């Protein structure tokens, strides 16, 4: 199991398994007793079976729209957002929508092609845990998460821009 980094820079063992989308004609394979992240649309399709379970979360691919779950996002213990490639920034928007529009308060995790230099920006968009790409040094994560002491813009981590914070 890969390690996961929390927003405070701590590293912990990750018990959640990302379940890939099944091939056409195959069923979703979720192991009993194993916390699993399943594709968001499949969770919604099997809502009666998955609702209320604290061992089932969802993952969004970069082309998915969080609106598909609406207020049901608040029922999920964990939501992961996949970054299929470093240059694909749609996951940042998904995170902001989940936090700001849909009020998601649970754990929001970045998965996929997650690099060290993205961590602080992901944190500002609302992510609070990260699974780095396998070839990256997880021990450098804490420094990358807190590289800048202040940010100019408002975001999910602060609701006022710097000039307003300095004036008060």
């Amino acid at each position: 199991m890969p390690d996961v980094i929390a927003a405070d820079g701590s590293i912990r063992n990750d018990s959640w398994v990302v379940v890939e989308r099944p091939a056409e004609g195959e069923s979703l394979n979720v192991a009993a007793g194993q916390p699993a992240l399943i594709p968001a649309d499949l969770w919604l399709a099997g809502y009666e079976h998955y609702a209320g379970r604290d061992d089932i979360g969802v993952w969004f691919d970069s082309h998915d729209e969080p609106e598909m779950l609406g207020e049901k996002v608040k029922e999920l213990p964990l939501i992961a957002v996949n970054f299929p490639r470093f240059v694909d920034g749609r996951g940042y928007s998904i995170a902001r929508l989940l936090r700001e529009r849909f009020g998601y308060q649970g754990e929001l995790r970045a998965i996929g092609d997650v690099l060290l230099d993205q961590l602080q920006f992901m944190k500002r968009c609302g992510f609070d845990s990260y699974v780095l790409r396998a070839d990256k040094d997880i021990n450098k994560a804490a420094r990358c998460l807190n590289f800048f002491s202040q940010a100019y813009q408002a975001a999910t981590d602060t609701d006022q821009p710097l000039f307003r914070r300095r004036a008060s």
Side-chain angles (χ1 to χ4, degrees):
M1 290 182 209
D3 289 327
V4 65
I5 306 155
D8 66 1
S10 63
I11 300 169
R12 67 179 191 267
N13 197 346
D14 186 16
S15 61
W16 291 84
V17 172
V18 177
V19 178
E20 297 295 326
R21 182 174 297 285
E24 187 70 34
E26 293 182 8
S27 61
L28 192 62
N29 187 12
V30 178
Q34 174 70 53
L37 294 166
I38 64 175
D41 60 327
L42 298 180
W43 180 85
L44 189 58
Y47 180 75
E48 297 78 26
H49 179 68
Y50 299 122
R53 291 181 55 178
D54 61 359
D55 64 337
I56 299 290
V58 302
W59 64 272
F60 284 96
D61 214 343
S62 61
H63 63 272
D64 290 332
E65 299 289 339
E67 289 85 357
M68 77 169 84
L69 297 183
E71 291 296 313
K72 291 180 178 163
V73 298
K74 295 176 183 174
E75 301 174 24
L76 294 161
L78 176 69
I79 297 176
V81 178
N82 183 37
F83 287 79
R85 297 180 313 145
F86 168 73
V87 297
D88 189 341
R90 294 176 286 181
Y92 295 99
S93 298
I94 293 171
R96 293 279 308 256
L97 287 169
L98 288 168
R99 292 289 192 208
E100 294 173 358
R101 184 178 298 168
F102 297 105
Y104 182 66
Q105 297 294 313
E107 184 176 343
L108 185 57
R109 179 175 296 180
I111 61 173
D113 196 13
V114 177
L115 306 179
L116 289 166
D117 58 349
Q118 296 172 291
L119 295 181
Q120 180 147 8
F121 301 111
M122 290 176 168
K123 181 179 177 182
R124 299 218 59 228
C125 288
F127 288 101
D128 49 17
S129 64
Y130 319 85
V131 176
L132 286 179
R133 194 170 77 186
D135 64 333
K136 299 303 168 194
D137 184 356
I138 197 167
N139 296 308
K140 295 180 181 178
R143 182 174 178 270
C144 294
L145 279 164
N146 300 300
F147 190 75
F148 297 105
S149 62
Q150 295 291 323
Y152 291 114
Q153 312 87 350
T156 61
D157 60 349
T158 181
D159 61 350
Q160 292 186 341
L162 183 60
F163 75 91
R164 295 244 189 255
R165 286 179 274 152
R166 289 185 58 117
S168 50

